Amino acid sequence: METNKILHRSILVGIFALLLIPFLVFNSMFFPFITGKNFVFRIIVEIIFGLWLILIFRDRRFLPKRSALFYAFLAFIVAITLADFLGVNPYRSFWSNFERMEGLITHLHLFALFLVGSSVLNTKKLWTRFFNSALVVSMAMALYGFLQLFGALEIHQSSSRVDGPIGNSAYMAIYMIFHVFLALFLLLRSRERRMQIIYAGVALLNTVIVYYTATRGSIIGLIGGFFLIAILVGIFERERKTLRKISIIASVGVVAIVLLFFAAKNTSFVKNSSVLNRFATISLTEQTTESRFLIWKMAYQGFKEHPIFGWGQENFILVFQKYYDAKMWNQEPWFDRTHNVVLDWLIAGGALAFLAYLSLFVVSLFCIWKKRGLFSATDKAVFTGLLAAYFCHNLFVFDNLTSYLLFIFVLSYFHFVSIENGIADASEKEFPKKISNEPSQSVQSILIPVVIIVLPIAIYFLNIPQILSNTSLINALQWQRVDPAKSLDYFKQSLSYDTLGKPEIRTQLVQSASSVAASSASDELKKNYIVFAKDEMEKQIEEEPLDARYPFFLGQFLTRFSAIDEARKNIEKALALSPKRQDMLSAIAITYFDTDLKDKGLETMKQAFDIEPENDSIRTLYAVFAVFAQRDDLVKELLLPRYHTYLVPDNKLVGAYVRTGQLKKYIDLNTVFLQQELKTGLLSQAEKDAISALNAEFEKKLDVYKKANQ
């Protein structure tokens, strides 16, 4: 029994240690805010899972109990496992990549944590300690956020949006939201005045940090969660009349605050607040909103193509490239998430995984509201508000390890309460009430050594090669400028592990090879670097032939070294996979110009421009080609309607004017045109100011270009 206590306490130490995961930042790793957290999480879960297996071999009281929530979670794991292995790229679906560190492997670990947590945190006292510990850790996180606000610590993602050691303001927001509701849960349960004040303070401080993350979906979810709590307490709380009155006042207050904000959204107070102004500028035509709708439309198209099992995890990038809408020209070029968890699961796992995911929320609500006295009216209200806030947040972003962890702990608590109060599957009654707590010695003597042997092997296989590959990659990038030869060796070492992250390693290799080629390294080293990068990217294309990024990257890489025909073939291969990409068409046009096929280049640029004329970068590049082709009419057609001037301060355009000896002609043309425009009186003062600014910026660019090419 003493051994069992040691095992039990060791597992608890591991579970409580997981609360510190969000603070881990490994600057010695690629994606320092992501990879280190996930590797530590996986190793801890693997250790406590192995200890738990030994414990249940010794004491069957710690076997997992069955409930509706247990079966819902199991169904979700089965659904995504089927989707991943039947999907487009099972390897990527299982391992994910360094940037996301999700995939099936993470969800298997989360399910293992659910089994262990709900079995080992098996008393109300333990759960209270655990939630209190979580709140203490959240206060440390809030302190970190306040230090960022006051400038004592660096904000990583932006200039003003708090992101903590999590490194992302949206992730920080949902982390704090979970703890706001946990603090409210304990506050409303406590009857001790001192503890009520402490819990109220924790909830308030965490709410302040949520506000300063300026994450709109999260804040809307938090406000909605508060409103829902107030309404539910007002309706269902029968014993604490004062609390019921407070909740009714609070619900009216929430509505009043929202209405007041809309009434004041055009005031200077709101506009001068970086957070409030983000809400005031929300509209259907706002850039971020438009991009979300476009991405969701693409996701729906992808879902219709694979409606039952989906594409497998980590494969939305294939949907994105296939159904790409060129109206997203002013967004980042590649999206691997829909920024909507509902649609993410529709893509990753089809209707089966989507329904299984929703069942986690539905069954949780069933556990909360089932009339068996499991939860008080306030408990029901708070946890319903939490689930609503979390779901609302997930409609605009996507999950990460920190939010997954907290969600799993909450699910484990629901499961524990259900089992503790007798809500279990009917089949549970088939087992005898009195069972022997200790399996036979022969069973223990076989199974326990198996766990002891398999556990370190599993930890090594699932983590160590991936960690070594990651650290070798960051070493390769750090040595690139100092010692390119050493950098190349680290790239080779990183790829030699043949595991997680190969696409990212090869992409970084190509970029590094371009930089080394422009450095003072020896010709032989440059050649070795370039050849190795080319060979590795060709392997990547062979391994993932449906991903347009890799032939596109290789084509751009080869263009730099005048391997034009080969470059064009690769870019055309990418274009076949993503036919509405203006950047790919323009890259092909460049290969034609590089081989003096100007007419063919102009024709290809026209194709790119016609896909989405609002793309200013393509418009300007098209004008660059027109300058080189001596097409004054085309330059006028492209630039004057948009800018009211020829002299657009684009580096490529300035270079084209200078290199073709047409600079004076265009300056003269611009002067004549402006005089005509000003005489008409059709230009507003704002347009005149904009033209003056463009011309001034053009002169600066011209000076810089001349000095650089003397």
Side-chain angles (χ1 to χ4, degrees):
M1 292 303 296
E2 187 64 29
T3 301
N4 292 355
K5 287 182 180 179
I6 293 173
L7 287 169
H8 185 212
R9 290 171 182 172
S10 298
I11 296 168
L12 289 175
V13 169
I15 291 174
F16 277 71
L18 290 173
L19 295 174
L20 300 174
I21 290 286
F23 284 92
L24 300 180
V25 179
F26 289 76
N27 290 318
S28 60
M29 300 189 77
F30 194 59
F31 288 109
F33 294 100
I34 303 294
T35 49
K37 288 179 176 65
N38 279 269
F39 283 125
V40 172
F41 158 73
R42 292 178 185 180
I43 291 171
I44 290 176
V45 170
E46 287 154 14
I47 292 172
I48 64 175
F49 185 73
L51 295 176
W52 175 70
L53 288 176
I54 294 174
L55 181 60
I56 62 176
F57 292 150
R58 295 176 57 85
D59 190 338
R60 293 177 64 184
R61 288 177 300 175
F62 291 97
L63 281 167
K65 306 297 189 297
R66 286 173 285 179
S67 69
L69 193 52
F70 167 82
Y71 286 120
F73 203 160
L74 180 61
F76 174 66
I77 293 297
V78 170
I80 63 173
T81 300
L82 285 172
D84 289 343
F85 283 99
L86 296 174
V88 179
N89 191 332
Y91 183 88
R92 183 160 66 185
S93 295
F94 182 86
W95 287 108
S96 184
N97 56 30
F98 288 137
E99 183 178 7
R100 300 302 179 195
M101 290 290 288
E102 192 170 330
L104 182 59
I105 184 173
T106 291
H107 289 281
L108 291 174
H109 280 74
L110 291 169
F111 184 60
L113 177 60
F114 173 80
L115 294 176
V116 176
S118 58
S119 301
V120 173
L121 290 168
N122 55 4
T123 67
K124 293 179 181 179
K125 186 176 181 180
L126 274 175
W127 274 108
T128 300
R129 286 179 180 175
F130 181 78
F131 286 146
N132 280 323
S133 299
L135 292 181
V136 170
V137 175
S138 79
M139 289 307 296
M141 184 67 75
L143 175 61
Y144 195 110
F146 281 115
L147 290 174
Q148 286 186 317
L149 279 177
F150 298 142
L153 290 175
E154 177 187 3
I155 294 177
H156 310 98
Q157 189 184 40
S158 67
S159 60
S160 60
R161 297 175 61 190
V162 170
D163 55 13
I166 299 176
N168 182 297
S169 54
Y171 298 169
M172 179 76 161
I174 193 59
Y175 174 88
M176 305 311 291
I177 283 174
F178 267 98
H179 291 92
V180 169
F181 287 97
L182 288 179
L184 289 176
F185 165 64
L186 295 175
L187 165 65
L188 295 173
R189 274 203 163 192
S190 177
R191 295 296 184 267
E192 188 180 342
R193 186 67 174 172
R194 181 176 63 88
M195 292 307 299
Q196 289 176 341
I197 293 173
I198 291 174
Y199 290 137
V202 172
L204 177 61
L205 290 176
N206 285 348
T207 299
V208 171
I209 294 299
V210 174
Y211 173 81
Y212 281 108
T213 65
T215 307
R216 293 177 292 191
S218 303
I219 295 174
I220 291 171
L222 182 62
I223 294 172
F226 285 159
F227 181 72
L228 188 56
I229 290 173
I231 292 294
L232 293 174
V233 170
I235 294 173
F236 294 102
E237 178 58 57
R238 302 298 181 190
E239 298 178 2
R240 301 157 73 179
K241 294 182 179 179
T242 301
L243 180 61
R244 187 179 183 186
K245 291 178 182 178
I246 292 173
S247 67
I248 294 172
I249 295 171
S251 63
V252 174
V254 170
V255 174
I257 290 172
V258 172
L259 293 176
L260 180 63
F261 170 77
F262 280 106
K265 72 174 187 176
N266 293 321
T267 63
S268 58
F269 174 77
V270 171
K271 290 182 177 179
N272 291 332
S273 169
S274 59
V275 178
L276 294 177
N277 191 52
R278 278 177 57 81
F279 283 88
T281 55
I282 292 177
S283 71
L284 295 178
T285 58
E286 185 209 8
Q287 181 174 312
T288 302
T289 306
E290 279 190 333
S291 68
R292 290 289 191 272
F293 285 136
L294 290 172
I295 293 172
W296 297 345
K297 182 180 177 182
M298 296 177 213
Y300 179 64
Q301 295 297 321
F303 164 68
K304 289 194 297 183
E305 188 172 343
H306 293 282
I308 306 301
F309 294 106
W311 296 65
Q313 291 184 81
E314 304 299 345
N315 287 315
F316 175 67
I317 191 71
L318 304 180
V319 177
F320 178 79
Q321 68 182 32
K322 183 172 184 178
Y323 297 103
Y324 177 77
D325 191 322
K327 289 183 175 63
M328 292 194 65
W329 63 270
N330 54 356
Q331 298 290 312
E332 59 183 274
W334 303 97
F335 277 80
D336 64 346
R337 292 289 189 276
T338 68
H339 289 264
N340 180 307
V341 167
V342 171
L343 291 175
D344 274 331
W345 285 118
L346 274 174
I347 289 296
L352 290 179
F354 164 70
L355 293 174
Y357 175 74
L358 288 185
S359 74
L360 295 176
F361 290 86
V362 173
V363 173
S364 293
L365 290 171
F366 172 80
C367 290
I368 293 168
W369 287 94
K370 189 172 178 65
K371 294 182 179 180
R372 291 223 177 189
L374 303 182
F375 296 93
S376 67
T378 55
D379 293 344
K380 294 176 181 179
V382 170
F383 282 123
T384 302
L386 169 57
L387 292 174
Y390 178 50
F391 193 81
C392 178
H393 164 89
N394 279 350
L395 291 178
F396 301 99
V397 287
F398 44 85
D399 265 313
N400 69 100
L401 179 62
T402 52
S403 56
Y404 276 136
L405 269 176
L406 295 168
F407 186 45
I408 294 305
F409 287 134
V410 170
L411 292 182
S412 299
Y413 179 68
F414 294 162
H415 173 77
F416 160 75
V417 175
S418 298
I419 296 302
E420 184 72 10
N421 288 271
I423 296 183
D425 189 84
S427 61
E428 192 79 15
K429 298 178 181 178
E430 298 173 6
F431 291 87
K433 292 183 179 180
K434 293 183 179 180
I435 58 175
S436 171
N437 285 335
E438 291 192 24
S440 66
Q441 289 295 324
S442 59
V443 172
Q444 291 187 41
S445 63
I446 295 173
L447 296 180
I448 291 177
V450 169
V451 173
I452 293 173
I453 294 171
V454 170
L455 179 60
I457 295 173
I459 291 174
Y460 177 85
F461 174 74
L462 295 175
N463 300 282
I464 304 305
Q466 292 80 7
I467 292 172
L468 294 174
S469 178
N470 185 286
T471 53
S472 296
L473 171 58
I474 202 69
N475 285 332
L477 297 175
Q478 290 172 344
W479 281 100
Q480 176 193 311
R481 295 181 181 276
V482 181
D483 188 343
K486 198 168 185 176
S487 171
L488 181 59
D489 288 339
Y490 273 119
F491 270 118
K492 292 178 179 179
Q493 180 178 315
S494 183
L495 287 166
S496 69
Y497 295 104
D498 193 28
T499 185
L500 169 66
K502 284 189 294 182
E504 292 156 303
I505 298 167
R506 286 163 172 160
T507 300
Q508 293 296 322
L509 172 61
V510 166
Q511 294 175 5
S512 293
S514 298
S515 298
V516 170
S519 71
S520 58
S522 68
D523 290 342
E524 182 180 359
L525 178 58
K526 290 179 182 179
K527 180 181 177 181
N528 291 339
Y529 221 124
I530 292 168
V531 170
F532 182 67
K534 176 178 178 292
D535 291 345
E536 288 299 322
M537 190 53 79
E538 287 176 343
K539 291 179 184 177
Q540 185 61 42
I541 294 169
E542 185 177 348
E543 290 171 10
E544 298 192 32
L546 298 179
D547 198 319
R549 290 175 296 176
Y550 307 122
F552 182 46
F553 294 160
L554 179 58
Q556 291 180 307
F557 177 70
L558 293 172
T559 300
R560 295 187 184 99
F561 304 107
S562 300
I564 303 301
D565 291 339
E566 194 174 356
R568 187 184 302 136
K569 288 178 182 177
N570 276 283
I571 300 172
E572 287 174 345
K573 185 185 298 183
L575 184 64
L577 295 169
S578 188
K580 293 185 179 180
R581 296 288 303 218
Q582 291 175 286
D583 52 351
M584 292 181 184
L585 278 166
S586 64
I588 293 173
I590 289 171
T591 66
Y592 286 125
F593 260 74
D594 285 345
T595 52
D596 207 30
L597 297 172
K598 292 184 173 59
D599 290 340
K600 187 68 172 175
L602 275 176
E603 180 185 338
T604 306
M605 275 307 305
K606 184 179 186 306
Q607 292 177 29
F609 178 73
D610 288 343
I611 290 175
E612 179 48 64
E614 293 299 314
N615 187 337
D616 289 337
S617 60
I618 292 294
R619 177 186 294 271
T620 306
L621 184 60
Y622 192 8
V624 169
F625 284 20
V627 170
F628 276 114
Q630 306 284 328
R631 287 284 305 277
D632 295 351
D633 59 324
L634 185 54
V635 174
K636 179 179 179 180
E637 179 184 333
L638 290 168
L639 298 183
L640 296 184
R642 175 68 179 84
Y643 302 106
H644 301 286
T645 176
Y646 286 99
L647 306 185
V648 179
D650 178 89
N651 286 334
K652 295 185 180 68
L653 194 58
V654 174
Y657 290 151
V658 173
R659 288 171 60 185
T660 57
Q662 300 182 76
L663 182 62
K664 185 177 185 303
K665 179 176 73 173
Y666 278 100
I667 290 177
D668 292 342
L669 284 171
N670 187 64
T671 302
V672 172
F673 174 77
L674 278 181
Q675 288 174 348
Q676 292 174 344
E677 288 285 284
L678 292 171
K679 285 178 181 178
T680 63
L682 297 177
L683 291 177
S684 67
Q685 186 60 48
E687 288 175 317
K688 292 176 184 177
D689 292 341
I691 293 167
S692 297
L694 281 173
N695 289 342
E697 184 65 22
F698 177 87
E699 294 295 340
K700 292 179 183 178
K701 295 275 187 180
L702 179 60
D703 289 339
V704 171
Y705 187 88
K706 285 180 176 178
K707 289 177 182 177
N709 289 275
Q710 281 179 349

